[in-house]
Amino acid sequence: MSAEARSRKSEAGKEWQKLADAIRHHDRLYYQKDAPEISDAEYDALRRRLEELEREFPELQTQDSPTQTVGAPPLETFAKVRHTIPMLSLNNAMSEEEVREWLERIRRFLGLGENEAVPVVTELKIDGLSFSARYEHGRFVQGATRGDGEVGEDITRNLATILPLTLKSHPPEILEVRGEVYMTHEEFAALNARRVAENEPVFANPRNAAAGSLRQLDAEITRSRRLRYFIYGWGEVSASLGGCQSDYIDAFKRFGLQTIAVYLHNMFSIEVAVHAPLAGMMDLYRRVEARRPQLDFDIDGLVYKVNSLDWQRRLGEVGRAPRWAIAHKFPPQQAFTVVEGIDIQVGRTGALTPVARLKPITVGGVVVSNATLHNEDEIKRKDIRVGDTVVVQRAGDVIPQIVSADLHKRPPHSRPYHFPDHCPVCGSLAVREEDEAVRRCTGGLLCEAQLVERLRHFVGRDAMDIEGLGEKQITAFWQDGLIKDVVDIYHLPQKAHLIESREGWGKKSVENLMAAIERSRDVKLAKFIYALGIRHVGEVTAKTLARHYRSYGAWMSAMEQLPGGGEALTELDNIGGIGLKVAEAIADFFREPHNVKIVHALAGQLRIQDAESVAQGSPVSGRTVVFTGTLVKLTRSEAKARAESLGAHVASSVSSKTDYVIAGEDAGSKLKKAKELGVRILTEQEWLELIA
Ligand code: IVH
């Protein structure tokens, strides 16, 4: 293999891994959490790229590659059901050309002549949640979700509120039907309106609402959501129902099941659409697409299936999808509207997200009045301005997006959008780190948008460890004004009577909470630093800081000098394990006077213990050391950790304050500098002897 081919292969391997990880991550969000983060189109693009890579480098394909599996494993809360026949997924075609290629492949596979027709049944592809339902002797006995295609969740009780419990017209002894459960736009809007009124989070789209409603441990909730279903296929069937896909659909209708044919019948008076050749399929595709905005449910394309079951058997499947069927997707739905303003939302972690306020417009049957602009760069890249006429896209899922601005309609004197560098909620500086797309508010302890998250972190087990104050209690206390910032937690004992009269609280639980608050007043410096929730300061960094500065007083006085830069910042940056990025995040935090004020106020409420003095008597305690070059007996991090546990400060650069430079093999500029400054230089062996 040439060097070039090797390098391409290694690049492909890396890309494959990245894609596979991303797809699995999005599968989990979509199938288990009902909360996708990317649009179907973006997801499909990831899958396609993965398939492309595997075609080019077949050795990359593993058995558990996302191309070989469907969806994500089921949740733990429902019993598992193994499908007697796996539930497959569909490959997608995005254009007429790809549908043509699909038909060509079928023709080649079956050895048909060029002019021989391939009769195809056309169905709608409704965007919902697939299920399998088993009937025995005409009675509904079991229902399952698709899960990973092999094993799904047992949702018998839920499906029983949607499907007929008995079938008509002498169905076969065993009949497993497969279909899709979905929610109409009308029901979706009503459900979300109820949720708003009840202060519950709304569903992002009808599909998520259907999924969330179907997978309810309490089936009565499912019943109240008025879901619909249709049947598009089957699994185990004990007696043949005919030789064609369309025969089965007809039979299901006779048994009293809702089939996909109903929709085409209502829309175009077509009973079962069997087409050949392509022109007929494309004609229906365009007619359905034109009607799409008027439909009361989401569809994301058509599904074409080879009608002959004999041919279906011969064609079989490849990977997770049949060769005999394909989904012809619609492009995402778009509409024009005007950007009336750009609002900045501040998330729980302080991220500033721009959201375009739009003149309300209907896109695919759903009224859209907001669209995410993702981040600062995205606005710049698309040059979206207030007053612009823009193309809004709804990809049947997630939050609507802005595709582009129509420059011809741009009002005169419009100006590029200027992204704020202060938090719109609390007014603190909002900073953007290098290599980060997101700008974040630095007013952590004061910013209302982040407060609940900060409070939750503050009281957490690894931080101040206040038992009895969970997210629920914190949110409730905050909403009712009992706590407005972290310091208020220590004023709760004066308000104990107010808490006791609240629902869910009693004398005992209030006493317990007060005791937990009292206990938390004795806190180690490291825990206290960690509890502040400074960006990039996790438990390990907090410990490092505590060890370095030893006492709250020493630490805080150094921190207050940080915003001025200079010595304090250099010292911080020189502590082993603290990089510039972390040092700057800490400096940003202390640059906000409100944060400083709150830290002081907190300290007034607490007894902050000095960090354990590490190995006072060790020969390197209190010394600053720098490791350089390749160490042979220790890894760099081991060496650092050992030195720190003996009380040394490990710095990353050599200065006149450095006590020892430990030079490994191939030491370079740091060694040179140490020589220039007359710093003591030790070999690795000498160092080991010194600390032995
Ligand atoms: S047939 C072996 N037909 O789309 C064939 N699926 O993207 C398997 N879907 O898992 C599926 N409408 O949840 C088929 N008319 C239709 C469909 C349909 C919606 C869903 C189904 C499937 C997914 C694949």
Side-chain angles (χ1 to χ4, degrees), residues 88-90 123-126 130 146 180 230 232 303 305 322 324:
L88 300 178
S89 185
L90 290 171
E123 299 175 350
L124 298 185
K125 185 168 188 305
I126 297 190
S130 51
R146 177 171 70 179
E180 195 91 348
F230 73 89
Y232 59 65
V303 183
K305 298 175 181 173
W324 48 265

Side-chain angles (χ1 to χ4, degrees), residues 89-106:
S89 185
L90 290 171
N91 283 329
N92 295 329
M94 309 307 283
S95 62
E96 177 170 355
E97 198 39 47
E98 290 184 10
V99 178
R100 192 194 312 278
E101 283 167 13
W102 172 69
L103 286 170
E104 286 305 315
R105 275 199 300 279
I106 289 175

Side-chain angles (χ1 to χ4, degrees), residues 359-381:
K359 191 162 171 232
I361 175 113
T362 308
V363 191
V366 169
V367 179
V368 170
S369 47
N370 290 307
T372 175
L373 286 163
H374 299 291
N375 56 50
E376 200 166 342
D377 291 345
E378 184 81 357
I379 302 183
K380 220 180 258 167
R381 193 170 62 76

Side-chain angles (χ1 to χ4, degrees), residues 464 489-494 516-523 604-609:
M464 302 303 285
I489 293 176
Y490 292 97
H491 298 143
L492 282 177
Q494 286 101 286
I517 292 175
E518 283 313 317
R519 267 199 307 280
S520 77
R521 288 187 199 263
D522 285 299
V523 62
Q605 295 289 337
L606 307 172
R607 292 174 289 273
I608 304 172
Q609 299 154 16

Side-chain angles (χ1 to χ4, degrees), residues 480-495:
D480 296 351
L482 276 174
I483 41 182
K484 288 190 288 308
D485 60 38
V486 279
V487 186
D488 284 340
I489 293 176
Y490 292 97
H491 298 143
L492 282 177
Q494 286 101 286
K495 301 178 186 163

